[in-house]
Amino acid sequence: MNFALQTAIDALSVGSIYALSALGIGLLFGIMRLINFAQSEFVTIGIYILMLSAGVWFPLAALAAICVVVVLALVVERMAFRPIRTADPATLLVTSFAVSYLLQYSLVLIFGARPIGLDILPELARPIVMGSVRVPRIDIATIGATIVLLSAFALFLRKTRIGIEMRAAAVDFRMARLLGIRANRVIAVAFAMSGLLAAVVAILFAARTGVAAPTIGLELALVGFVATVIGGMGSLVGAVFGGLAVGVVTVLLQAFLPPELRAYREAFVYIVVIAVLVLRPQGLFRGAAARERV
């Protein structure tokens, strides 16, 4: 019973981080049909901002990370993606890779390629003891922050004007524009929200790992992309559930695989992913059927 509870909390914690990563990627794909691999660098830069803010009151350091990443996302949208918005998907994809590598190697030039240790809220590493179960506070904080953020995100999309415009744009952007929705504003808000999600992931991941490295966000972006595909391209609900599913499978495999096979855990995860896609090529949830981009 105690082992099951411990495993369930670990699975929800890891799945929560993956869900937020997938949501940031799925949000942009839903509106622009763009797979933004630079999302990984948004996370990485958020972690480096936290490192540079060491010694500062944590809420201010977290706010600084969020502001920098959101502004960076808006700059990337304005400088890199807006001029080629009507280009073919291959051009958008290549641009996404180019921005990702530009940001990554800029970090290498500034900070070097070696990982750097950082200590974000060390008290979160202390466990909460419930009988014989020891739950790290970072797991509770991660699950709680994800629930709050996803709830706020859902309310934003359903109750605000710009949120409703974003939902309409994700279904049929051409019709939405004919009805008076401003493309530049909707896409800029989508990039800003993806930056916000990346910054929150950076804070949670930095508190969990205590490491800053130029490629640290790459795994999260890759898992986020896989989770988006599993959930259903274009479906935000699917992206969240896909992220949770990947996190749960990862932790369960770590817990139940024989010790000699745990080094190959990721291979087993992707076997499960392939099996899901063979059974449901469209993903767990159907996204918007519209293929048009802006």
Side-chain angles (χ1 to χ4, degrees):
M1 178 65 181
N2 294 335
F3 176 75
L5 178 60
Q6 184 82 57
T7 303
I9 294 174
D10 290 344
L12 285 175
S13 178
V14 174
S16 294
I17 292 180
Y18 289 170
L20 294 179
S21 300
L23 185 58
I25 292 174
L27 178 64
L28 293 180
F29 182 84
I31 295 176
M32 291 185 66
R33 304 299 184 262
L34 165 68
I35 300 296
N36 183 24
F37 285 100
Q39 189 79 4
S40 63
E41 275 58 53
F42 293 168
V43 174
T44 304
I45 289 173
I47 294 176
Y48 273 99
I49 295 300
L50 291 172
M51 181 194 72
L52 294 174
S53 304
V56 178
W57 187 44
F58 176 75
L60 288 180
L63 181 61
I66 291 172
C67 291
V68 169
V69 175
V70 169
V71 170
L72 175 63
L74 291 172
V75 170
V76 167
E77 186 276 327
R78 183 64 181 88
M79 302 297 294
F81 292 111
R82 187 176 298 186
I84 60 167
R85 190 180 295 164
T86 57
D88 60 88
T91 301
L92 288 172
L93 187 61
V94 170
T95 302
S96 174
F97 275 114
V99 172
S100 175
Y101 278 107
L102 173 63
L103 294 175
Q104 182 182 134
Y105 283 99
S106 296
L107 291 172
V108 172
L109 287 173
I110 297 171
F111 298 103
R114 294 183 178 181
I116 302 173
L118 68 157
D119 196 7
I120 303 296
L121 290 181
E123 57 269 21
L124 288 180
R126 300 171 186 167
I128 297 175
V129 180
M130 297 179 292
S132 60
V133 178
R134 298 169 63 87
V135 181
R137 296 182 182 181
I138 181 60
D139 288 347
I140 303 300
T142 299
I143 295 170
T146 301
I147 291 174
V148 171
L149 192 59
L150 291 181
S151 300
F153 191 86
L155 288 174
F156 175 82
L157 289 178
R158 292 182 177 276
K159 300 297 183 181
T160 67
R161 179 182 177 87
I162 185 64
I164 294 172
E165 290 178 351
M166 291 172 67
R167 290 168 57 203
V171 175
D172 190 330
F173 208 99
R174 175 176 294 178
M175 180 58 69
R177 294 185 71 178
L178 290 175
L179 293 175
I181 292 177
R182 297 171 58 187
N184 289 343
R185 183 178 66 173
V186 167
I187 293 175
V189 171
F191 266 89
M193 294 182 71
S194 72
L196 172 63
L197 291 167
V200 174
V201 169
I203 295 168
L204 296 173
F205 201 62
R208 178 180 294 273
T209 63
V211 174
T215 59
I216 195 169
L218 184 59
E219 179 185 354
L220 290 173
L222 179 60
V223 172
F225 171 67
V226 170
T228 303
V229 174
I230 292 175
M233 299 297 286
S235 170
L236 298 183
V237 174
V240 172
F241 277 93
L244 288 171
V246 173
V248 168
V249 170
T250 300
V251 172
L252 290 179
L253 288 173
Q254 180 67 28
F256 293 107
L257 278 176
E260 61 272 15
L261 293 179
R262 287 175 185 169
Y264 307 100
R265 181 189 64 185
E266 281 72 19
F268 287 99
V269 170
Y270 287 106
I271 289 174
V272 175
V273 169
I274 293 171
V276 171
L277 293 179
V278 168
L279 296 174
R280 287 187 63 84
Q282 74 276 20
L284 300 176
F285 295 81
R286 290 185 180 273
R291 293 185 176 180
E292 182 198 4
R293 295 178 297 102
V294 288

